[in-house]
Each structure stands twice: as C-alpha cells, then as structure tokens.
Amino acid sequence: MKTLIVGYGSMGRRRIRLLQNIVKDVEIICVDSNPERQMQAKEANIEAFSDLNVAINEKPDIAFVCTSPGHHAEIILALVNSRINVFTELNLLDNDYDKIISLAKEKDVTVFMSSTMLYNKQIQKIDEFVKSTKKPLTYIYHIGQYLPDWHPWESYKDFFIGRKETNGVREILAIQMPWIVNTFGKIKSLNSNAQRCSELDIDFNDSIVSNFVHENGNIGVFVADTVSRKATTSLEVIGEDLHLFWHGHNDDLQVYNPETKELETISMYNNVEHREGYADNIIENQYSDEIQDFIDAVYKKTTPKYSIEKDKYILKIIDEIEGKLN
C-alpha cells in the first residue's frame, strides 16, 4: 500500500509512525513545501516532494492531509479528483465542503474526516454512561492549555493556532464538539461569552464560556481557553442516576456509587502510549484506532464514526458560538 503524507509536520510524522505499526510493508512518500522538512523526511528514508501534483503522479493508494487546517480543501479536491482515498486532519473551516462531498461521490473514493476524541475509549465509556440514563443531565467541561506550550519547539506566532481564523480556542471547540454532540445530543440553543486574559501577541479572545441546551433536554457549560498554565481537562456530569468525573487520563474516570457512597475508578486502556513533548493526557492509542478505521473504510467499506457532513454541522455550531461573541 503506497501512502502519501501531505505535510511533514508533527501530525504528519505521527501518522507515519503509527501507520508503520499498523500496516506491514507500507510504502510512504510525502510532500512538503518547506525545504527543511523535505530534508528531515529524506533523513528518515522517506521520498519527499515539494509539489503536490508530482507526488500525485506517484499514484498513492491513500493520502493523509496533515497541513494547516485552513488550507485543506484545495489539497483534498486535488487528491479526490485523482481517485485517491483521503484522510484529512481536523478542519477549522468548511471551505468547499459541498464540492468535496459531490466529487468524492462521483469518483467513488473515501474522504475520512478526523475526529480523534471519538476513538478515545474513556470518551466511549462516558458516552455509554450518559446514554444509559433517560433523565436529563447537566455537565461542566473545561479544556485549557497555555498557547505557547502547545508546540514548545516552535513559536505560536508561526503556528496556525496563533492566527485569528484558525485560532487555538476554535481548535479546542472543533476537537471537542463532535463527541459532546454525539454524547449529549444536538444543540437546540446556545449562548457564549469571551474575553482576553493573557498578554499574548494574538488578535482573538483566549477564553470562551458557552452554555448549551441540547435537543434531548441535557444542558452544559463548556469552557475553552488558551491561558491555563497547566494543561487541563475537567469534566463533571451531574444527574440523579449518574455523577461522573474525568480529568482526561486513563486512570481518572470516576463514577459515584450511591450505594457505597464511594467513587469507583474505571480504566479503559491496559497500556497507554504517550509521546514526549505533548501534554500528558494526549495518548497515541486513539490516533492508531482512528487510522485503522480509515483503512477499514477504504478496504472493507465500513462506516466511519465521523463524516464531512457531520463536521459541516459542527463547524456551523462553532461559527454560531463565535458569532454570538461581543
């Protein structure tokens, strides 16, 4: 299986590393306009190109689009037009989504939309708990990390999270909203407030508080920020039949047992893979599972957990969140 990696940044290298563990004898080529990254790829014995069309002429079977999320559409369209099955990393803009959907159908290829949190086994367990109760629930969820710490090896000013249209708070929303909607239900109404808490050199609000009313009666508060000096994940789900706590790790999902009046800890992974340089709650397992789902969708015609149609809905919700801000 010949695989094209578009973008040899941190996510491109992650996908390569995990793909090599999943697929035996996978042939990998990459394309990146940055000469330094081309050199890094060649040092890793990966053939590197500077031009996408030249790489497409190598006739890869599948491709991973791992470039900045504001520039995916043009790349995806070029790949789909050449009948190459595509895995695209997180998108923060829905540019040309309708065109991509139409062309993928015409060319009979898979366009797989990344939504890694849906593959997190802790999230899957939370989903199971939430959907097992028929009574309305209230949740409080906070995700935050100081922007310069996201990629400490490079300046946030040179990274897409530091730009207004693809800023870090919007990325947090795009990462988290798919599982929130999947678990708690579609959004009926919302209200948001935001502010700047830091002196970072950015032109967007670094903290946002959103209140959601879901169609099924659940309500929640979601706080997202790029200010928290300690990377933070904190979820509390409150209901008469369910009281749940999670802090983003494999060993801290806890459910209150009203009979014993104790918190019971639930671990979902026997072994957790973690990559140095990332926050300690970011594990590799979910990324591997997502890649496997893409391969199954291409070669076994299975249905992925997420889709470009679902992402279109999520991005509209995020636009609405940002549109309500002063």
Side-chain angles (χ1 to χ4, degrees):
M1 181 174 66
K2 181 178 285 190
T3 301
L4 169 62
I5 305 294
V6 184
Y8 195 71
S10 62
M11 281 307 302
R13 294 192 294 272
R14 168 183 270 155
R15 296 299 180 184
I16 291 170
R17 182 176 66 252
L18 297 175
L19 186 63
Q20 288 172 330
N21 291 334
I22 294 170
V23 180
K24 292 182 179 179
D25 301 321
V26 60
E27 180 183 354
I28 294 174
I29 60 175
C30 81
V31 59
D32 198 301
S33 59
N34 185 320
E36 183 176 347
R37 286 182 175 173
Q38 291 173 35
M39 184 62 67
Q40 291 170 349
K42 291 174 182 176
E43 288 173 353
N45 296 316
I46 296 171
E47 189 172 11
F49 302 91
S50 60
D51 185 273
L52 177 62
N53 292 322
V54 175
I56 286 175
N57 287 337
E58 295 293 311
K59 300 188 182 306
D61 301 296
I62 62 174
F64 288 77
V65 178
C66 306
T67 57
S68 274
H71 304 90
H72 286 173
E74 183 179 350
I75 297 169
I76 295 169
L77 285 168
L79 293 165
V80 171
N81 196 50
S82 297
R83 289 188 165 85
I84 299 169
N85 297 288
V86 180
F87 177 112
T88 173
E89 298 290 357
L90 182 76
N91 288 328
L92 298 180
L93 305 172
D94 62 356
N95 297 341
D96 290 326
Y97 266 24
D98 290 337
K99 190 182 294 185
I100 292 169
I101 293 168
S102 176
L103 187 62
K105 185 176 181 180
E106 176 190 333
K107 300 292 184 179
D108 191 28
V109 297
T110 298
V111 176
F112 185 100
M113 180 65 59
S114 173
S115 186
T116 311
M117 292 298 290
L118 292 173
Y119 296 85
N120 182 293
K121 286 183 168 49
Q122 300 290 91
I123 291 294
Q124 291 170 1
K125 190 64 178 179
I126 292 168
D127 181 81
E128 181 183 319
F129 277 120
V130 168
K131 290 177 178 175
S132 69
T133 179
K134 302 300 181 183
K135 300 176 185 178
L137 297 168
T138 299
Y139 63 89
I140 304 166
Y141 192 32
H142 173 213
I143 296 285
Q145 184 180 17
Y146 192 48
L147 198 68
D149 292 342
W150 285 35
H151 278 191
W153 56 85
E154 63 181 335
S155 170
Y156 66 87
K157 297 179 185 179
D158 300 327
F159 187 24
F160 68 83
I161 57 168
R163 303 181 194 121
K164 185 175 183 178
E165 66 276 10
T166 56
N167 69 80
V169 174
R170 186 175 175 89
E171 186 181 44
I172 290 174
L173 290 168
I175 291 171
Q176 302 296 330
M177 287 304 298
W179 86 259
I180 290 175
V181 167
N182 181 67
T183 296
F184 293 102
K186 284 193 170 183
I187 306 294
K188 179 180 178 181
S189 63
L190 64 89
N191 184 268
S192 299
N193 290 285
Q195 66 178 2
R196 285 280 301 278
C197 296
S198 72
E199 295 183 353
L200 295 172
D201 186 12
I202 54 178
D203 60 353
F204 57 88
N205 289 310
D206 53 32
S207 302
I208 184 171
V209 179
S210 298
N211 299 294
F212 300 133
V213 177
H214 296 267
E215 290 180 356
N216 56 15
N218 294 325
I219 61 173
V221 176
F222 183 21
V223 180
D225 73 74
T226 58
V227 184
S228 297
R229 298 310 300 259
K230 182 182 185 301
T232 300
T233 297
S234 179
L235 172 69
E236 182 175 3
V237 180
I238 305 155
E240 186 175 26
D241 298 330
L242 176 66
H243 199 176
L244 177 152
F245 304 85
W246 185 52
H247 295 285
H249 302 86
N250 182 48
D251 59 356
D252 59 18
L253 173 58
Q254 296 183 309
V255 178
Y256 182 75
N257 186 326
E259 294 182 359
T260 63
K261 300 189 183 306
E262 294 182 348
L263 288 172
E264 298 177 352
T265 301
I266 299 170
S267 297
M268 297 301 297
Y269 293 97
N270 293 325
N271 295 296
V272 172
E273 300 173 35
H274 175 70
R275 192 72 175 177
E276 187 177 352
Y278 289 93
D280 59 5
N281 63 342
I282 298 178
I283 60 175
E284 301 285 272
N285 309 65
Q286 57 202 17
Y287 293 95
S288 294
D289 292 344
E290 189 175 40
I291 291 173
Q292 185 63 62
D293 198 24
F294 169 52
I295 293 170
D296 289 346
V298 172
Y299 293 104
K300 297 181 181 179
K301 303 303 179 183
T302 56
T303 301
K305 294 181 183 296
Y306 201 53
S307 67
I308 194 168
E309 290 86 356
K310 290 180 179 179
D311 198 57
K312 186 177 179 181
Y313 168 79
I314 292 296
L315 289 175
K316 281 186 177 180
I317 293 294
I318 295 173
D319 288 342
E320 187 176 352
I321 292 170
E322 292 187 332
K324 285 182 175 288
L325 303 180
N326 296 323

